[in-house]
């Protein structure tokens, strides 16, 4: 009986349980009111926002049990660009009228158990309108479970299949069922997203662990009422937020909010009737990308006749970039690219045929077409090259860009493969290499877009590699490895491993460079599958049987694969027993540099390196730079989520004097992404092998013999094998190798006739003829520097886009005219030296280089019909005109350069940055609404300090200004009467929050201008050099130095001494007032450095001069030394003639002056005098202005072959300040040494003041540099630096400065200094080595 009662109870409960499937009865039409709203901007009132609002009635009617019709009635579109929330939405009347008919076409969809299936619509419904319907259907997507109230699942929607959390509650009082659904759009199994320009970037997950740069979430709230066979959706509200944080700080985000409401109105009996058209399958609920991929978000263009519009913009670019670059040239160039993207192949071919014979138009087209990035362009370039309409340089330049920009789909990949295999291209190695490298890059891009890309795409490359290996075709193997390295597909690991040494026996017979290229080909694979590459790389590093270079390159790959602590510790342990010092030095320096890395993605590696470095010997830290080295430096600023890193690798060889390889790489971090921006590598493998096979590799000979044999080996380059490259170089952009070059014997043999043959003479003759006739050149170079886009669908059905564009146009206008007297002979090679000496060359040149750059950062909605976005726009425009005239009279020894006046624009530099809210629609493209994000009116309503959040400091808030900053700074250059001004304007939102983002947004500008100042106009600026006996004639003002023995001289010195004594008194008064602070500072510095103070008397032996017959004499040189010159002192020489101009004429003179209309002399002149008997040189610089006796005098003499002395004085008549410098060679103890002494008689006060401030930091700097410090009373006005060489690769340094002595012993040197222990130079000129050049020329 109990069982029967229980069964009846369960049956009753089951009969009362509500069916949660939304109900739409067959004979009814359900009417809803629908509204969709999106707004983008900062989440603060009083700032501008941009948005769109869509409202309409929605009619839902069932056709069958699982097929329904949906129709929109009375649709209305509104735009918003204004101050939120004050300004109202504005109806987009024209756009609504244009789309009304299409919006009101009913669509058909499948719907069962709350799940939307396939969608059907006539062909007349555009993808954009279809996506708006999907946004409404997305609200109806409900996966409701009867047995669970809280659950999670992966649910399909407009944005893809994403993680969705459900909460179901029942309200018995209101007889409602409340369903809450939330989606984390950052965690999707199948997320719909379109990235453009990001294929070569890496996601830096560690950079966004705390604060993600992009957060996407959506919340759905439903109120349902029970119905007869299910539930009725009474009201549904959807809120979706996309938050982008360019800076890693709180509340530093730009948001776009999407809101949908669907409210039940009534039930009608009139069914929805489909139109009379075929309803085609239009996919599912998931978003369908439309023309927004071809539509740039920075401007909405109404394209009615693409070919005509392309021609119009082309003509605008050509006509408006003549004298200088036009301000809007970058934007017009982007428009040209957008129009070319929508043009057909036939359209572009017609435009090419029209303008291919017009050089200016041709250049603009060839610069724009590669950036289009559609398969049509690759096909066009292929056809035009095969038809002979493109030169090889034009084709290579175009393909290098086009293959990196083109969409990497299967069609384009096949097209590139057919291009690489074409018989005409196969005959041009450089061209084939570019295409093959681009093919690998295209596969890499395709695999980023399609992670399940098949390995069959690499089949042709694998076949090429296998065939090349069987034929031992080294160049082909190299090319195949580079292509596989660009592709970075894990399926290529096995073919590459066949070429790795130590792992396969076949690889040991291959050249060393093939083994190195095979290892480098693993780098891009390591980024995708590090666990596959790490053990292979570690095995190669630890294999001591391999060549050291192979092991060091494997070390690079290992650390780029981000190994674990265990792997790095294993490497460190193995290096304890390493016998090859180059491998040990390279690995140790690499691990040590990694300990200092701060980039988040390398944090784990840096921690592992800190552990490993403790396991290694510290002796490796003292190895000199002649051993192989790795260096990594980086900078990462967490609040801005930006950073940069640099790596440099130098692989040396003990047997030769040149590095085997040098690699440099730059890496950048931005907003959670990272990329290897640039990498350049140079290898000298063939040259090294040739040197190793020469007698220079004999370790038993001395260094000089090695150098001589090395030079002889280089001279005998003809004996090298043809197939062996002497050197090679490559360049990578964003991790993709775009070009490489091998220099071998064939290249040299082809280059020598080009350089020494008749062609260079013909080119020189043509150039000289053109110069005399006059050259007028105008050249423009546009470039789309950055195009990075991320397009995401939203719940409403419109695409949200984050994008960054940068375009630049450089333009130069050059006019050059030359006059040569007498005219050059027809055969230039017959011209003699005497004829050349009698030639007078005059040259006039005017250039107007200018650059315009525009950059756009956009976040908002971008469709072909309407755009609403927040935009940051930056502009840079610079113009630097110049006009010069030069003359070279070789016979008279006169050379003159003149800077002539030139027309200058109002602003030579203009920089601006502004943030805007923009909305525009296709029906009124010229009536766009643009509102500054921070309007001027907002400043009047700025918050008071009390309005700020409690987390902010009130004092800081009160200091902020609520008014725009505007300032103009001007500086006039004396004498030449030129005034430069900089005008700065800044207006930001810092009044809202003290945050970096709020300082950035707003309007900022800076403009620089150059104009003539008040005063006499300057006709020209002159720089004249006169060499020879006529130098004295060219001096504009007679040079004389005052004689101290004359009455006039004594009176002048007495007056000057009184002035200097007055200055000294003022200095002493000021110094006494701060003496106590100096004592405290001195004592603290002394205590700090006491740990480094040691007795240095053992190393500070007296410095002795060299014996005149023993030290520093080159081999074979005469040992006779003039006893007179060594005995004489510098003072005695000066007493013989204080001013050499009284005894000898100047050797040369230099005059720099400004020529004004009032003929007033302004400028400076330099005269150089040479006293050959005393080996004395004197330079005198003096002002040519009247009544200006300011001079600079430099007087120097070679007292002996071991000693040089110089005195520099300046001031009135060179009497105010003076410095004496002495340099001499000698011995310190038993080691050859050199000493530099600097003494000063008097220095300017500013110099002594800063010197005293600097001296306070010397103890700490010395401590960090490893110097020992001793407090001693050295001379007050003298600095002495002594350097001694205990060996050719080490250095002892002793520095004596006032109050202290610094010293450091055994400093390792990167290269050997060619000085023997006995002081002799280990350098000898070998006539055999010098004669090979002349011999080679005779053979040619």
């Amino acid at each position: 009986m109990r069982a029967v009662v229980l069964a009846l109870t369960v049956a009753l409960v089951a009969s009362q349980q509500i069916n949660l499937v939304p109900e739409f009865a067959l004979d009814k039409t359900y009417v809803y009111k629908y509204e969709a709203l999106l707004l983008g901007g900062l989440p603060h009132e009083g700032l501008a926002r941009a948005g769109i609002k869509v409202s309409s009635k929605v009619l839902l009617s069932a056709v069958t049990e699982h097929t329904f019709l949906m129709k929109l009635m009375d649709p209305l579109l509104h735009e918003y660009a204004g101050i939120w929330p004050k300004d109202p939405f504005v109806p987009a009347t024209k756009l609504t009228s244009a789309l009304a008919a299409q919006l009101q076409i009913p669509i058909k969809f499948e719907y069962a158990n709350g799940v939307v299936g396939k969608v059907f619509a006539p062909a007349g419904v555009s993808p954009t309108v279809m996506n708006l319907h999907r946004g409404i259907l997305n609200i109806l997507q409900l996966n409701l479970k009867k047995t669970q109230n809280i659950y999670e699942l992966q649910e399909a929607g407009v944005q893809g299949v994403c993680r969705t959390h459900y909460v179901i509650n029942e309200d018995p009082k209101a007889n409602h069922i409340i369903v809450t659904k939330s989606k984390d759009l950052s965690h999707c199994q199948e997320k719909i997203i379109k990235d453009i320009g990001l294929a070569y970037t890496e996601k830096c997950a560690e950079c966004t662990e705390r604060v993600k740069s992009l957060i996407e979430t959506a919340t759905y709230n439903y109120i349902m009422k029970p119905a007869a066979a299910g539930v009725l959706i009474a009201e549904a509200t959807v809120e979706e937020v996309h938050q982008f944080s360019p800076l890693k700080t709180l509340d530093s985000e730009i948001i776009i909010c999407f809101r949908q409401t669907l409210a039940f109105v009534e039930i009608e009996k009139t069914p929805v009737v489909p139109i009379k058209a075929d309803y085609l399958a239009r996919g599912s609920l998931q978003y369908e990308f439309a023309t927004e991929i071809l539509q740039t978000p920075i401007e909405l263009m109404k394209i009615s006749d693409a070919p005509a519009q392309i021609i119009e913009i082309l003509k605008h670019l050509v006509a408006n970039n003549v004298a200088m670059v036009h301000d809007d040239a970058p934007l017009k160039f982007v428009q040209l690219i957008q129009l070319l993207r929508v043009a057909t192949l036939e359209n572009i071919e017609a435009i090419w045929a029209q303008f291919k014979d017009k050089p200016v138009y041709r250049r603009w087209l060839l610069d724009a077409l590669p950036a289009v990035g559609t398969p049509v362009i690759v096909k066009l370039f292929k056809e035009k090259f095969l038809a002979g309409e493109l030169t090889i340089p034009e084709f290579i330049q175009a393909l290098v860009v086009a293959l990196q920009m083109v969409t990497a789909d299967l069609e384009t990949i096949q097209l590139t493969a057919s291009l690489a295999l074409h018989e005409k291209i196969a005959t041009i190695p450089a061209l084939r290499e570019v295409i093959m490298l681009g093919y690998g890059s295209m596969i890499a891009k395709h695999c980023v877009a399609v992670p399940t890309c098949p390995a069959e795409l690499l089949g042709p490359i694998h076949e090429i590699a296998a065939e090349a290996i069987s034929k031992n075709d080294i160049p082909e193997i190299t090319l195949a490895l580079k292509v596989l390295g660009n592709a970075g597909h894990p399926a290529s690991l096995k073919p590459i491993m066949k070429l790795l040494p130590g792992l396969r026996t076949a690889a040991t017979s291959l050249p060393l460079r093939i083994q190195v290229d095979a290892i480098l080909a693993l780098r891009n694979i390591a980024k995708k599958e590090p666990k596959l590459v790490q053990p292979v790389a570690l095995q190669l590093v630890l294999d001591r049987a391999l060549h050291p270079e192979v092991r060091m390159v494997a070390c690079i790959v290992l650390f780029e694969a981000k190994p674990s602590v265990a792997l790095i510790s294993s490497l460190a342990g193995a290096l304890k027993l390493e016998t090859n010092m180059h491998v040990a030095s390279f690995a140790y320096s690499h691990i040590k540099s990694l300990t200092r890395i701060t980039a988040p993605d390398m944090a784990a590696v840096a921690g592992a390196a800190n552990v490993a470095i403790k396991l290694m010997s510290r002796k490796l830290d003292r190895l000199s730079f002649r051993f192989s080295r790795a260096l990594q430096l980086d900078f990462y600023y967490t609040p801005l989520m930006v950073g940069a890193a640099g790596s440099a690798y130098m692989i040396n060889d003990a047997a030769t004097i040149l590095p085997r390889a040098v690699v440099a790489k730059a890496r950048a971090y931005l907003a959670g992404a990272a990329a290897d921006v640039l990498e350049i590598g140079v290898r000298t493998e063939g040259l090294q092998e040739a040197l190793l096979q020469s007698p220079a590799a004999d370790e038993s000979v001395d260094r000089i013999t090695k150098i001589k044999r090395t030079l002889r080996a280089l001279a005998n380059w003809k004996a090298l094998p043809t197939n062996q490259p002497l050197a090679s170089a490559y360049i990578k952009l964003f991790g993709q190798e775009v070009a490489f070059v091998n220099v071998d014997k064939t290249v040299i043999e082809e280059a020598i006739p080009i350089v020494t043959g008749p062609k260079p003479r013909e080119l020189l003759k043509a150039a000289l003829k053109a110069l005399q006739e006059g050259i007028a050149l105008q050249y423009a170079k546009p470039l789309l520097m950055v195009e990075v886009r991320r397009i995401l669908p939203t719940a409403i059905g419109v695409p949200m886009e984050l994008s960054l564009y940068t375009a630049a146009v450089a333009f130069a206008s050059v006019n050059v005219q030359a006059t040569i007297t007498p005219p050059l002979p027809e055969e230039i090679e017959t011209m003699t030296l005497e004829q050349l000496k009698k030639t007078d060359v005059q040259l006039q040149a005017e250039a107007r280089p200018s650059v315009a750059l525009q950059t756009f950062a956009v976040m908002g909605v971008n469709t072909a019909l309407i755009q609403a976005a927040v935009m940051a726009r930056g502009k840079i425009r610079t113009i630097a005109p110049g006009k010069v005239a030069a003359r070279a009279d070789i016979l008279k020894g006169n050379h003159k350069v003149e800077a002539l006046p030139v027309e200058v624009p109002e602003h030579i530099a203009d920089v601006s940055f502004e943030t805007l809210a923009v909305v525009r629609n296709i029906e009124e493209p010229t009536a766009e609404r643009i509102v500054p994000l921070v309007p001027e009116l907002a400043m009047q309503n700025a918050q008071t300090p009390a309005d700020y959040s409690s987390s902010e400091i009130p004092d800081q808030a009160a200091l902020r200004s609520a008014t725009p900053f505007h300032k103009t700074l001007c500086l006039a250059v004396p004498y030449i009467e030129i005034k430069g001004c900089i005008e700065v304007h800044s207006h930001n939102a810092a009044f809202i929050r003290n945050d970096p983002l709020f300082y950035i947004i707003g309007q900022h500008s800076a403009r620089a201008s150059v104009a003539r100042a008040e005063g006499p106009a300057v006709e020209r600026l002159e720089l004249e050099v006169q060499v020879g006996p006529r130098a004295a004639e060219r001096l504009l003002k007679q040079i004389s130095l005052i004689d101290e023995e004359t009455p006039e001289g004594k009176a002048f010195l007495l007056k000057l001494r009184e002035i200097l004594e007055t200055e000294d008194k003022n200095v002493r008064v000021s110094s006494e007032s701060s003496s106590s602070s100096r004592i405290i500072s001195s004592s603290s510095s002394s205590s700090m450095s006491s740990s480094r103070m040691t007795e240095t008397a053992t190393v500070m032996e007296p410095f002795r001069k060299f014996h005149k017959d023993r030290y520093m004499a080159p081999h074979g040189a005469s040992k006779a030394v003039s006893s007179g010159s060594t005995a004489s002192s510098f003072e005695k020489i000066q007493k013989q003639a204080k001013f050499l101009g009284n005894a000898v004429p100047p050797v040369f003179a230099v005059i720099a002056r400004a020529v004004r209309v009032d003929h007033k002399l302004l400028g400076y002149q330099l005269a150089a005098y040479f006293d050959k008997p005393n080996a004395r040189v004197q330079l005198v610089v003096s002002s040519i202005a009247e009544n200006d006796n300011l001079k600079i005098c430099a007087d120097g003499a070679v007292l002996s072959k071991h000693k040089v002395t110089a005195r520099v004085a300046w001031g009135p008549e060179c009497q105010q300040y003076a410095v004496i410098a002495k340099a001499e060679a000698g011995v310190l103890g038993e080691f050859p040494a050199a000493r530099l002494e600097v003494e000063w008689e008097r220095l300017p006060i500013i110099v002594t003041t800063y010197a005293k401030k600097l001296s306070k930091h010397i103890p700490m700097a010395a401590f960090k540099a490893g110097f020992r410090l001793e407090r001693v009373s050295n001379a007050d006005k003298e600095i002495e630096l002594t350097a001694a060489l205990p060996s050719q690769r080490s250095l002892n340094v002793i520095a004596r400065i006032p109050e202290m002595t610094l010293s450091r012993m055994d400093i390792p040197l990167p290269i050997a200094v060619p000085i023997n222990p006995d002081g002799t130079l280990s350098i000898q000129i070998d006539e055999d080595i010098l004669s090979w050049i002349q011999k080679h020329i005779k053979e040619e």
Side-chain angles (χ1 to χ4, degrees), residues 562-611:
K562 300 178 183 178
S564 62
V565 178
L567 283 178
I568 298 181
S569 299
S570 300
L571 175 61
L575 289 173
K576 288 183 178 179
L577 305 176
E578 181 58 51
T579 57
N580 189 289
M581 296 308 296
H582 281 279
V583 175
S585 174
F586 188 86
Y588 178 85
S589 60
H590 204 159
I591 294 174
K592 185 176 180 180
S593 64
L594 286 172
T595 61
R596 299 186 290 266
I597 294 296
T598 60
D601 63 331
M602 295 295 288
V605 181
N610 275 293
V611 174

Side-chain angles (χ1 to χ4, degrees), residues 1187-1222:
N1187 300 325
D1188 189 349
N1189 61 354
L1190 180 65
K1191 292 183 177 70
I1192 301 174
C1193 303
D1195 205 343
V1198 179
L1199 301 181
S1200 70
K1201 65 170 62 177
H1202 311 307
K1203 188 173 183 179
V1204 178
T1205 304
R1207 182 179 186 273
V1208 179
W1210 64 99
E1213 298 296 339
C1214 295
Q1215 295 294 326
Q1216 189 171 3
Y1217 307 109
V1219 174
I1220 299 173
K1222 302 174 184 177

Side-chain angles (χ1 to χ4, degrees), residues 1039-1051:
I1039 297 177
S1040 62
L1041 296 180
I1042 192 168
D1043 190 353
E1044 301 174 7
E1045 303 299 327
T1046 62
E1048 295 83 359
K1050 292 179 180 179

Side-chain angles (χ1 to χ4, degrees), residues 468 471-479 509-511 513-514 723 725:
K471 295 180 179 179
N472 199 28
D473 188 346
I474 302 303
E476 197 69 3
I477 298 175
T478 300
L479 181 58
S509 60
L510 294 172
R513 58 193 175 98
I514 294 297
N723 60 348

